[in-house]
């Protein structure tokens, strides 16, 4: 085996390690870039009022908690999880019919037609 062949066979594993490390660093930088972009986009949610947040299934607290995560974490992951998970308040059944606000006087409604009881 020549000196060049020995050098090549010794350098080959080192080259693979360098390549793998560079790929790992590149993937992490790409992930951080996406996380910062999402953080910037999600900052728009901070400007919405509570009603608008409720329309998309979030609360002001959800948005604050998402942004309390470390800077390198993507806040949209937490927000998507919050929207997807049902809340106990949403699970409560609403009454089938709302009670009337018109008072009854002597078996008849004070406004409108009398109530007939058979």
């Amino acid at each position: 085996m020549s000196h060049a062949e020995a050098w090549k066979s010794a350098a080959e594993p080192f080259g693979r390690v360098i390549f793998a490390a560079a790929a790992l660093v590149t993937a992490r930088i790409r992930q951080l870039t996406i996380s910062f972009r999402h953080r910037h986009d999600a900052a728009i949610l901070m400007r919405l009022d509570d009603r608008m947040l409720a329309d998309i299934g979030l609360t002001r607290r959800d948005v604050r908690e998402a942004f309390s995560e470390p800077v390198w974490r993507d806040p949209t992951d937490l927000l998507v999880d919050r929207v997807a998970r049902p809340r106990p308040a949403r699970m409560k059944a609403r009454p089938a019919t709302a009670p009337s606000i018109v008072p009854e006087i002597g078996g008849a409604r004070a406004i409108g037609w009398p109530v007939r009881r058979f």
Side-chain angles (χ1 to χ4, degrees):
M1 182 184 310
S2 72
H3 182 66
E5 290 173 346
W7 183 258
K8 183 179 176 184
S9 65
E12 192 172 308
F14 181 71
R16 280 191 229 141
V17 169
I18 294 296
F19 182 74
L24 184 65
V25 168
T26 303
R28 183 57 114 170
I29 289 172
R30 187 175 298 128
Q31 183 182 11
L32 282 171
T33 303
I34 291 169
S35 177
F36 282 126
R37 188 176 326 128
H38 287 175
R39 182 171 284 275
H40 180 266
D41 293 344
I44 295 169
L45 295 173
M46 296 295 272
R47 290 184 252 151
L48 299 179
D49 64 4
D50 292 338
R51 183 187 52 81
M52 291 174 157
L53 288 172
D55 285 346
I56 59 175
L58 293 172
T59 63
R60 178 96 27 222
R61 181 178 180 197
D62 294 334
V63 177
R64 276 191 304 244
E65 286 178 8
F67 281 96
S68 69
E69 293 286 321
V71 176
W72 58 86
R73 289 198 185 144
D74 190 348
T76 58
D77 291 339
L78 180 73
L79 295 171
V80 168
D81 182 52
R82 294 289 168 91
V83 170
R85 188 176 357 155
R87 298 189 193 283
R90 292 182 192 159
M91 304 295 282
K92 291 180 182 176
R94 293 183 178 162
T97 58
S100 175
I101 60 170
V102 178
E104 286 189 26
I105 301 173
R109 297 230 182 242
I111 301 173
W113 298 96
V115 176
R116 295 188 182 167
R117 297 182 190 205
F118 296 100

